[in-house]
Amino acid sequence: MKKYIIANWKSNKNLSEVAFWLNNFPNNAESRRVLNSLEIILAPPYPFLTLAKEIIEERQLPIKLAVQDLSAFGSGAYTGEVAGFNLQDLHVEYAILGHSERRRFLAESSQLIADKVTEALSWRVKPILCLDKPYFSEQARFLPEDVASKCLLAYEPLAAIGSGQAQDTGDLLPIRKELQPLYSAKALIYGGSVNADNVGSFLKVCDGVLLGGASLDLTDFVDLLFAASESLSV
Ligand code: PGA
């Protein structure tokens, strides 16, 4: 199975920076071959989804699109929300849901996040459900097993996010054991201070990584992709 490399740009980049990044993403035969072992997923800010879709299609880049959030409501009178319906035809395949920054700055609750997960699935958008230890079991209580089992789980310890202090890779096996009975989930992704130097060791113990800072600069990101791919071939 391909390993997931998820680039979450958060509220970074303007239109020209997005265009630059995507227009310069390597796309020759050699890079395509090297990157073939990876499922590369990009979550740009909402306003740039259409542009990203267009450049990805035009250049036939091996990149799938994700959103960083999704409304728990359907289409209709929900000012400021972006509904699954709004995403139709944008080829969005994944949604990052319940990121700790949304819990922290936007007071998202486990109930609301569960509603978002259900809504995403109803639009055939695959949820990447972010989790940290304090709410492993609380979040699971809001998700029926058949819903939970369809999520990709992203374990994101708060102290590791944006701090340069990644979690010890040895902690991931017990985390996987703890999450398995709660979510019956197949894939475990790790997020928090992943970079080109440590990505290989994370990919040995989990199914992918979620990146914030290391996805912003194209050169750094491509270095990380090549390091990830190389780590899988040894
Ligand atoms: P970071 O962010 O890679 O900048 O630590 C990770 C995340 O928020 O998922």
Side-chain angles (χ1 to χ4, degrees):
M1 213 179 76
K2 291 190 180 199
K3 297 278 185 178
Y4 297 95
I5 307 280
I6 306 163
N8 175 12
W9 281 352
K10 308 188 180 183
S11 300
N12 292 291
K13 297 200 184 289
N14 60 24
L15 188 109
S16 55
E17 289 168 339
V18 172
F20 176 88
W21 195 101
L22 283 161
N23 279 322
N24 288 282
F25 190 91
N27 198 24
N28 52 37
E30 170 63 2
S31 63
R32 288 190 144 269
R33 188 189 60 73
V34 173
L35 302 183
N36 197 29
S37 54
L38 308 173
E39 172 89 344
I40 305 167
I41 301 170
L42 174 64
Y46 264 124
F48 310 128
L49 274 178
T50 308
L51 175 70
K53 171 192 172 275
E54 283 170 3
I55 301 177
I56 288 168
E57 277 178 7
E58 195 180 288
R59 299 192 62 219
Q60 298 190 13
L61 298 176
I63 296 178
K64 306 277 173 64
L65 277 178
V67 286
Q68 299 176 17
D69 180 39
L70 186 74
S71 176
F73 306 102
S75 64
Y78 304 101
T79 301
E81 287 291 87
V82 179
F85 176 81
N86 304 135
L87 301 178
Q88 275 187 320
D89 306 324
L90 283 173
H91 299 176
V92 170
E93 294 187 37
Y94 298 90
I96 299 172
L97 297 175
H99 193 285
S100 60
E101 286 152 11
R102 297 197 63 84
R103 283 183 181 263
R104 190 165 149 218
F105 298 121
L106 295 138
E108 287 201 357
S109 66
S110 294
Q111 171 72 72
L112 179 68
I113 293 163
D115 292 345
K116 292 181 174 197
V117 167
T118 307
E119 187 63 16
L121 286 170
S122 77
W123 291 100
R124 295 178 193 282
V125 172
K126 187 140 187 122
I128 300 166
L129 176 62
C130 299
L131 293 167
D132 191 8
K133 271 194 170 203
Y135 42 86
F136 276 179
S137 33
E138 185 201 285
Q139 182 64 77
R141 278 203 298 280
F142 289 95
L143 293 164
E145 196 187 328
D146 63 319
V147 174
S149 65
K150 294 190 180 88
C151 295
L152 301 176
L153 301 185
Y155 169 54
E156 300 229 312
L158 195 59
I161 297 178
S163 64
Q165 305 289 317
Q167 185 94 357
D168 196 351
T169 51
D171 297 339
L172 291 186
L173 189 60
I175 293 289
R176 193 191 277 274
K177 286 206 176 116
E178 206 177 319
L179 287 170
Q180 180 59 34
L182 292 171
Y183 292 87
S184 316
K186 321 261 172 322
L188 179 67
I189 288 157
Y190 167 77
S193 297
V194 177
N195 56 38
D197 294 331
N198 63 19
V199 66
S201 50
F202 281 110
L203 293 184
K204 285 200 171 45
V205 290
C206 61
D207 305 294
V209 289
L210 202 162
L211 317 159
S215 68
L216 294 175
D217 179 84
L218 180 62
T219 311
D220 290 351
F221 184 65
V222 171
D223 284 351
L224 183 147
L225 292 177
F226 276 72
S229 170
E230 199 174 316
S231 75
L232 299 174
S233 63
V234 290

